Structures are given as structure tokens and as C-alpha cells.
Amino acid sequence: MRFNDDYQRQSDRDANVTRRRIPRPRELAPLLQFKKPQLNATQRRLAAALTIEDLRRIAKRRTPKAAFDYTDGAAEEELSLARARQAFRDIEFHPTILRDVSSVDTSATVLGGPVAQPFGIAPTGFTRLMHTEGEIAGARTAARAGIPFALSTLGTASIEDVKAANPDGRNWFQLYMWKDRDRSMALVERAAAAGYDTLLATVDVPVAGARHRDTRNGMSIPPTLTLRTVLDAVPRPRWWFDLLTTEPLSFASLDRWPGTVAEYLDTMFDPTVNFDDLVWIKEQWPNKLVVKGIQTLDDARAVAGLGVDGIVLSNHGGRQLDRAPVPFHLLPSVAAELGDTTEILLDTGVMSGADVVAAVALGARFVLVGRAYLYGLMAGGEAGVDRAVEILSQQVRRTMQLLGVTSLSELGPRHVTQLHRLRPSVARSARIPPESL
């Protein structure tokens, strides 16, 4: 009996043995297709970047520490920035199923004009320090992508040059109110004359924030050459070659400055700016006016009451007051009260298209991306900015499809739950609308 069992098991094994044969050449051909090599090193690096964080890692390798830290860093202990990014991670999406999402529309009307995506490029200062192509690279990418480009008062390309780089697209100008009002308004007049359609009046800068990375790095314009910066330059010769063989860094909308960034900001920012100044700006500017730097519901109400066209919920990318409110946490309560009358924009902490979609779902009309764009710029100049916008656009579209929506107007609070790690105390929470918790 045992012999029969062993014989049967051996027969079963023989029957199950895989039969081998020599493959035919025509069968091998589809399996041996080699990827065409990319000889351009920059394009090869950018193609391998699948996320904004990938671009950040490339940027860190290719950019001197002082320039990278100016972009990457924030104020004091950098808690505001860390919390803002964590807030986007701490969400839960609620997808709907069995919807036809073969065609998705990511366009919208924002501040009276069309946008192809629900995000645009935020105003950033000293941009040519990150890469010599600077704001012009961002403006050209924005033109191709059909999104707005915002130029900072502290930009390193002029109002007119940015307009030339994005002649038919939407250009926005970000204004700091200086102690010298005439110089401020001269820039406003130039922006209006150049056809900029929106003014972003930034109101969260009575003084400069304490950005310790910049102080430790001796951040200045132009960069100060020390033994440390020279040693830092050794593995990054291309950055220094570009810096030394192009126009000297300066504030193209203003004049050159020989001191540190912090010293410059302290001479410029005006701690006396108040609501009357905002009304005055509104009277001077002929187009759309948006107030940037709103961090409480009370201030959102007050600014909206002045009849501005929009507000930006922002803590300046965590670069001013550390431990400031997280804009994404503030969004639901502001949208619930003001969303029907005032366009709500948002920035700070945005690192993916999913972050953008979450913000739109909770009431933002539009999202501004700053660091995400600069990581792309540092990683590969204009091509890197193209890649950053491409990554964000793909993520926006894919997230919408996975949520089962085909247009931005279909997104709503039902699609997102904010999961809060940090909750206010009982005494404080009694004064906060329930929907913001």
C-alpha cells in the first residue's frame, strides 16, 4: 500500500513538472526593449523626480547651503511650517465610487479670470539667488501652464521683464507697504501700467521674522564669501559659475542693497501699517485687490468688510511668527462664513496636488505654492519649474479621479476630514466655531 502511495505521488510530481523549450527570437523581442538613454543630466534627474520632495532632495544637493536654507527654512524653531505640512498629512479623503472620471476639468475662474489649475506660483523674494533663471523661469512656466505668476516686491526680476516673459498670461504683484509710501506706490503704478491684474497686499510683516538659518549662514545679497561658503561651493561649481557670469543679484524692482537680508527687511517693513492704509491702497489700485496674511477669523471678517476681492489665509510660509495658526486649519471656519462673498486663497505647507485638492474641497478658491516651485527651480532651472508644475497638475487630476469628481466645483467638505493632532484647550475652543475643530 505504501509503495502504491509513493508511486502515485511521484507520478503526480512528474505530471506537474514544467515543460521547457527554447524560446523563439520573435518572442524575446518584446521583452528586450531597452529604455532610450537620456544624455541630458538635468532632464534625467528631473524625470526621476516623482514628488516635490524628490525635487527638494535634488535642490539641496545642487544649491549652496545659504540659498537652499533661505528657501527651505522658516522662523525661529520652524514649528509653524512643520505644523502646516503636518496638517495636510493629517487628513482623510472620502472617495465616491462608480463615477465616470475619464474626463476631468481642473480649470476655474479666479479673481475674474481663467486658470487652468487650482494653484499658481506664489511671490518669493531673492529668487535669482536660488537659480540664475529666477522669476523669468517661473513666469514662462506659468504662461505655458495657464496659471498665474505672482512677483514679489523683493523679486530679482523687474515688473516689466516678468510681463515680457508672460505677456498673455496672468501676472500678479505682491506689495509690501514700506515706510516710504511714495516708493511703494511707484511700484503699484508700474504694475498697473504693465497690465498686472491682481495686487496681493501683504499684511503680516510689521517687522521681519527671526529666521535663524539665514543669520547663521550670514545670508546677504550678494552672497558673502567666507571660508565656509567657498568650501560649500566646491561640489556646486555650476551654481557659482551661473552666479558669477550673469547680471549681479539685485532687487530689480528697487535698488541694490549691500547688507544682509534681515537688515534690508527691517529698513523696509513699516510697523505702523493699519486698516486705513489698506483702504488707501484699494483707492490707488484699479484692478483686483487681495489681502495676504490673514490668520484669524476676526481679521478675515474685518478685511472682507472693506470690500476687497479676496483674502489669502497665510502665515507667510512659517517665516514670520512661529507657532502662528495653521492656515489649512483656519480654512473651514472662514469659508463657512465668508466663502459666498469673498474669494479665499490659501498658502503655507502645500507640497502636493492632493494638498491642493483638500484645500479646494474645504473652501479655498485657489492655492499658492512657493517652496514647491522653488525646489523645482533649484533642481533644474526653468525645466525644474516645469517639472514641479507637472507633478502638482498630475497629482491634482489623479486625486480628483480617485475621489470620483470631474470638476473642482464638485469638491466639498464631504470629501475631506481634518484629523487634528493639536486641539485648543477647552477655554479656547469655546470661542472657535465647531466646524474649525
Side-chain angles (χ1 to χ4, degrees):
M1 184 68 176
R2 181 177 178 181
F3 173 79
N4 290 337
D5 290 343
D6 290 343
Y7 179 79
Q8 184 62 48
R9 282 194 292 271
Q10 183 62 46
S11 298
D12 291 342
R13 282 195 294 270
D14 292 343
N16 292 326
V17 170
T18 302
R19 298 180 63 184
R20 306 289 180 179
R21 65 180 180 81
I22 298 175
R24 299 179 179 88
R26 68 173 181 273
E27 295 171 340
L28 290 175
L31 304 176
L32 298 177
Q33 295 184 17
F34 294 97
K35 185 177 180 179
K36 184 178 179 181
Q38 173 57 261
L39 300 181
N40 184 303
T42 298
Q43 290 294 347
R44 187 167 61 248
R45 283 191 299 270
L46 295 177
L50 304 181
T51 66
I52 298 300
E53 181 59 36
D54 289 342
L55 291 176
R56 178 185 176 276
R57 284 190 285 267
I58 298 170
K60 188 173 184 178
R61 293 197 304 267
R62 299 186 59 78
T63 310
K65 181 176 175 58
F68 178 81
D69 279 355
Y70 177 77
T71 296
D72 196 59
E76 301 187 28
E77 296 180 62
E78 304 188 358
L79 296 175
S80 288
L81 176 59
R83 290 175 180 177
R85 287 184 173 167
Q86 189 63 54
F88 282 110
R89 297 187 184 102
D90 290 344
I91 65 169
E92 182 177 84
F93 280 124
H94 305 294
T96 53
I97 62 171
L98 299 177
R99 270 59 169 187
D100 180 357
V101 290
S102 56
S103 178
V104 172
D105 183 7
T106 61
S107 66
T109 299
V110 175
L111 297 169
V115 295
Q117 296 287 338
F119 65 87
I121 294 178
T124 60
F126 314 112
T127 311
R128 282 191 59 230
L129 184 67
M130 317 311 151
H131 190 284
T132 189
E133 295 178 12
E135 290 90 353
I136 300 305
R140 287 173 175 164
T141 292
R144 287 188 292 271
I147 60 176
F149 176 85
L151 174 65
S152 170
T153 296
L154 297 177
T156 47
S158 72
I159 290 169
E160 294 77 15
D161 286 347
V162 167
K163 175 63 176 180
N166 185 18
D168 301 316
R170 300 191 63 187
N171 294 300
W172 297 355
F173 184 70
Q174 176 267 331
L175 175 71
Y176 290 126
M177 281 300 293
W178 304 335
K179 297 170 184 176
D180 186 341
R181 295 291 193 270
D182 290 340
R183 294 180 73 196
S184 294
M185 297 319 295
L187 292 178
V188 170
E189 292 169 3
R190 284 173 59 188
Y196 284 56
D197 65 74
T198 298
L199 183 69
L200 303 174
T202 299
V203 295
D204 58 354
V205 286
V207 296
R211 303 170 193 173
H212 295 325
R213 288 205 221 181
D214 295 344
T215 302
R216 293 182 180 115
N217 290 330
M219 172 73 172
S220 64
I221 300 292
T224 302
L225 288 177
T226 64
L227 177 60
R228 180 178 174 180
T229 55
V230 170
L231 292 175
D232 190 46
V234 173
R236 301 171 179 88
R238 178 58 185 268
W239 186 93
W240 285 97
F241 175 78
D242 287 342
L243 175 71
L244 297 173
T245 58
T246 57
E247 280 295 310
L249 286 172
S250 63
F251 305 103
S253 295
L254 315 171
D255 50 18
R256 294 182 182 177
W257 176 257
T260 68
V261 171
E263 290 169 346
Y264 188 85
L265 298 180
D266 279 335
T267 65
M268 178 172 46
F269 294 159
D270 185 355
T272 71
V273 172
N274 57 35
F275 281 88
D276 291 338
D277 292 294
L278 198 56
V279 172
W280 182 69
I281 293 171
K282 187 174 184 297
E283 292 171 350
Q284 310 301 311
W285 177 253
N287 302 317
K288 299 291 184 179
L289 176 63
V290 174
V291 179
K292 183 177 183 293
I294 302 300
Q295 300 174 67
T296 68
L297 180 57
D298 285 343
D299 280 345
R301 289 190 190 109
V303 169
L306 298 178
V308 301
D309 299 289
I311 58 175
V312 184
L313 304 182
S314 169
N315 64 27
H316 214 98
R319 298 165 71 80
Q320 286 295 105
L321 175 66
D322 204 13
R323 300 177 178 86
V326 174
F328 185 59
H329 285 167
L330 181 62
L331 175 60
S333 59
V334 174
E337 182 163 334
L338 303 175
D340 292 338
T341 57
T342 305
E343 294 194 38
I344 300 169
L345 288 71
L346 179 139
D347 73 14
T348 304
V350 178
M351 287 286 284
S352 75
D355 298 345
V356 173
V357 171
V360 173
L362 291 182
R365 180 68 65 88
F366 196 67
V367 173
L368 292 169
V369 295
R371 287 183 178 88
Y373 137 67
L374 292 177
Y375 292 142
L377 180 67
M378 290 186 286
E382 186 173 333
V385 182
D386 284 343
R387 182 59 180 149
V389 170
E390 180 183 34
I391 288 170
L392 292 171
S393 299
Q394 291 173 344
Q395 292 172 336
V396 166
R397 178 182 176 83
R398 182 169 58 249
T399 303
M400 290 174 63
Q401 289 176 305
L402 292 172
L403 284 174
V405 301
T406 60
S407 68
L408 298 174
S409 61
E410 293 178 27
L411 289 168
R414 69 186 183 280
H415 291 109
V416 180
T417 296
Q418 291 179 324
L419 308 174
H420 288 260
R421 292 170 182 254
L422 302 176
R423 287 183 174 273
S425 66
V426 174
R428 171 64 178 159
S429 64
R431 302 198 302 272
I432 297 180
E435 62 269 20
S436 69
L437 300 178

